[in-house]
Amino acid sequence: FSVSHAAQLAAIASIQAQQELLARVEATVSERARVATALAEQGWTIPEAQGNFVWLAVGNKTADLVAHFGAQNPVVLVRPFAGEGVRISIGAPEENDAVIAALEALPWRV
């Protein structure tokens, strides 16, 4: 994805607000660990992550998983990579709880 000029300015402002930036990074890392642990406890294989997302390598079930997420209430949006898997961005705890619940309800694991 390209980055707009406004987004670049926002990134610079974020870096300049270092205490707030570090607090957000810490919160994201903590929430990512919580989500990864919950999904591993459900039987999913979650590779170690360093970004603001977790990865589910579901291969040829990618479209099925995306459809399952789309049928949830609230809808869970993920970034699919056809034939490979889905990237699930870490959000607010209640958003991540929706991801965890949606995957718990899925009748299969990869």
Side-chain angles (χ1 to χ4, degrees):
F1 298 111
S2 62
V3 179
S4 69
H5 181 68
Q8 291 175 26
L9 293 175
I12 291 168
S14 176
I15 291 168
Q16 290 172 341
Q18 196 164 32
Q19 280 187 317
E20 176 66 21
L21 173 64
L22 293 176
R24 287 177 187 250
V25 168
E26 184 178 324
T28 300
V29 168
S30 176
E31 191 62 11
R32 182 189 66 213
R34 181 182 78 86
V35 170
T37 298
L39 298 183
E41 288 172 356
Q42 291 179 9
W44 293 98
T45 300
I46 306 296
E48 183 177 342
Q50 297 298 313
N52 65 337
F53 63 92
V54 294
W55 173 256
L56 290 179
V58 294
N60 63 2
K61 294 223 178 232
T62 299
D64 294 337
L65 183 55
V66 171
H68 174 73
F69 279 135
Q72 301 304 301
N73 186 15
V75 170
V76 175
L77 298 176
V78 297
R79 181 157 186 217
F81 293 81
E84 295 182 35
V86 296
R87 173 188 160 144
I88 303 171
S89 295
I90 299 301
E94 56 276 5
E95 295 165 333
N96 299 327
D97 289 343
V99 168
I100 293 166
L103 288 169
E104 179 67 30
L106 197 63
W108 51 267
R109 305 285 185 267
V110 174

